Amino acid sequence: MTSRIVYGSRESRPARRMPHISLTAALIGGAVMAGVIGTVVAVMLPALQLKDIAVSGLETLDEHAVREKIAQGLAGSRFLLVPRSSYFLANTSVLAEDLRRAFPAISSISAKKTFPHTLAIAVTERRFWGIMCNDLQSESEAEAPRTAPSHCVALDTTGFGYESSPRPQGNLILIVETDRAILNAGEQQIELTLMDRLEILRGGIQEATGQEVTRFALRERSPSEIRARSADGFAIYFRRDDDFVNAFRVLKKVLDAEIGNRRDELAYIDVRFGNKVFYKFK
């Protein structure tokens, strides 16, 4: 008997196919990469760099110095590659705050970008009000020579000392004297509530005396007191929390009825005690 071995047909296997999800991921990855490259190219294009700088609102500040500070803020690059001056990456909020810190005379500032390469800086400067100087000596210092020179700062209408200043001569500029040891520019020197009181005093004294206030004295060792000096040369003593309306009425009555034409001989009038007034001639 002859035997045969019959071999069955080999089982066919389907060919492998690349999963559909892999192709989709590749397409997405390619699109992301193209987007990244396109973004990098866009932020580096010279046509999209902030190069047209407009500055408005300057009155006393040096425009050249302001522009130099702006240029410093836009110089250099981020991540060692992307320029800070790019329209898309330039941070106007940070730039404005840097300018405010560099120039305390700036009261408010806005920075706005306009596509594709313009930056507009609008500045509002502080309004000058007077000069504050720390040349008042305390009672313990009065007998000894002053060891440090006095310092003066320009004040705005809010009591902020925004820049150093020489001491003015004459009576054309209002001077606020203080016995404070340190007086730095770039700091709030007089609180807003006290500034409001000084403005009330300034107007009321002028109405009662017919003369401008040329000087205020604010002593930290006597915080409840304000001393003012009129252009006539005499001082007037007030309490900070006083009823100024009554004080002005009493002041005017004393000047008209008792002092009369002897104002040039008057040293001071003390109206801190209501209707009871003290005054002294030189």
Side-chain angles (χ1 to χ4, degrees), residues 89-103:
L89 293 183
N91 192 323
T92 54
S93 298
V94 171
L95 184 61
E97 187 58 32
D98 287 346
L99 286 170
R100 189 198 294 271
R101 283 196 297 266
F103 302 97

Side-chain angles (χ1 to χ4, degrees), residues 19 132 225:
M132 189 173 194
E225 178 183 288

Side-chain angles (χ1 to χ4, degrees), residues 97-269:
E97 187 58 32
D98 287 346
L99 286 170
R100 189 198 294 271
R101 283 196 297 266
F103 302 97
I106 294 176
S107 174
S108 62
I109 182 173
S110 67
K112 182 179 179 181
K113 297 181 289 187
T114 301
F115 190 82
H117 48 62
T118 300
L119 175 66
I121 303 291
V123 169
T124 300
E125 293 191 23
R126 297 182 182 275
R127 289 174 53 203
F128 175 78
W129 186 80
I131 302 292
M132 189 173 194
C133 300
N134 63 340
D135 50 8
L136 283 181
Q137 292 180 302
S138 65
E139 293 180 0
S140 61
E141 297 172 331
E143 298 179 357
R146 192 177 182 92
T147 57
S150 61
H151 185 61
C152 300
V153 295
L155 298 175
D156 74 348
T157 54
T158 69
F160 185 85
Y162 58 91
E163 66 182 18
S164 297
S165 170
R167 183 181 176 88
Q169 302 297 318
N171 295 329
L172 295 179
I173 296 177
L174 177 66
I175 299 175
V176 180
E177 297 173 319
T178 180
D179 57 354
R180 190 177 305 164
I182 300 175
L183 201 62
N184 293 324
E187 297 178 358
Q188 189 74 29
Q189 300 298 341
I190 303 176
E191 60 270 25
L192 286 173
T193 53
L194 180 53
M195 283 296 295
D196 292 339
R197 301 291 280 171
L198 294 180
E199 273 297 286
I200 294 172
L201 281 176
R202 197 176 184 185
I205 292 173
Q206 182 178 7
E207 184 176 348
T209 67
Q211 297 289 327
E212 290 275 357
V213 175
T214 61
R215 193 170 302 179
F216 285 114
L218 303 175
R219 294 181 181 271
E220 292 195 340
R221 293 177 179 270
S222 302
S224 63
E225 178 183 288
I226 299 175
R227 296 189 179 188
R229 185 174 296 277
S230 74
D232 286 341
F234 62 88
I236 312 167
Y237 303 166
F238 297 89
R239 293 199 320 269
R240 290 195 186 188
D241 60 350
D242 205 351
D243 176 4
F244 288 161
V245 174
N246 183 65
F248 298 146
R249 180 186 61 80
V250 172
L251 173 62
K252 181 173 176 56
K253 184 176 181 180
V254 170
L255 287 173
D256 293 343
E258 300 186 35
I259 306 301
N261 59 3
R262 298 183 63 188
R263 285 196 185 189
D264 57 343
E265 303 174 40
L266 188 61
Y268 69 81
I269 297 179

